[in-house]
Structure formats: C-alpha cells, structure tokens
Amino acid sequence: MDPTLGVDVAVHPGHTVVRVAGELDTDTCPRLAEVTDALTLHGRLLILDLSGVAFMDSSALHALRNRTRAEHAVLELRDVPGQGMRLLGLAGARGLFAVRPAA
C-alpha cells in the first residue's frame, strides 16, 4: 500500500483548513499527524476537508478528535465522502464531530 497522502494547510482568522487527498488510514496517519501537530489550535476551529479522500478509516479521525479536545478546539469534517459517512455511522461516531457530507 502506498502511504502517500496529500495535505495542504490554509490558516485563516479563527479557523484552519486542512485539505486531505488520497487514502486516510493507519498507514497515512503519521503524515497527517506530522502536519497537524505543527498547528496551534488553542480554541480554534480545525476544518478537515475530505473532498479529495478516496478511502478513510477511523484511525486519523480519533487522533485528531483527541488533540482538538485537549486544546479546546473544534474539529469539523467537511465534504466527507459516502464511504466515510458510512464508516462514521457504523462506528457510531457521527455525533463526535461536526460533519458536512459531500454534496
């Protein structure tokens, strides 16, 4: 499996957007963690734009949720693909995040 994950960051007043492209899973979690660990969240909104994600599992999401909770930030999942919405539903995790499904 290719652990390549594209991650772009845009910092705005009051929120940060992290755009992810590729597969978001156990193999690629370290790349996402490397990028997000460098961010200062302290009460800010962190938007994870998943519009470029072809597949995802819950590993990265749980790690980000724990980090945002520790820093009193809010994690919003935006443009979640259908497979990701099913995963969140099966795991009973939809209520853990602010979620905006893909159109």
Side-chain angles (χ1 to χ4, degrees):
M1 178 177 285
D2 183 5
T4 303
L5 184 72
V7 182
D8 293 312
V9 176
V11 178
H12 305 278
H15 71 281
T16 300
V17 178
V18 177
R19 288 181 180 84
V20 182
E23 294 189 359
L24 186 56
D25 56 27
T26 303
D27 293 332
T28 59
C29 278
R31 172 70 181 128
L32 183 59
E34 175 186 316
V35 171
T36 58
D37 285 351
L39 300 174
T40 302
L41 298 179
H42 306 297
R44 295 172 52 93
L45 171 64
L46 176 61
I47 299 170
L48 195 60
D49 180 340
L50 300 173
S51 59
V53 171
F55 170 83
M56 62 186 269
D57 69 18
S58 61
S59 42
L61 301 180
H62 287 293
L64 278 173
R65 178 176 178 263
N66 291 339
R67 174 142 185 262
T68 53
R69 284 178 58 189
E71 294 192 38
H72 306 289
V74 174
L75 176 60
E76 177 182 299
L77 307 180
R78 189 174 286 174
D79 291 328
V80 181
Q83 180 270 327
M85 290 300 294
R86 286 188 298 281
L87 171 73
L88 292 171
L90 289 171
R94 278 193 194 175
L96 300 178
F97 310 99
V99 179
R100 293 187 182 181

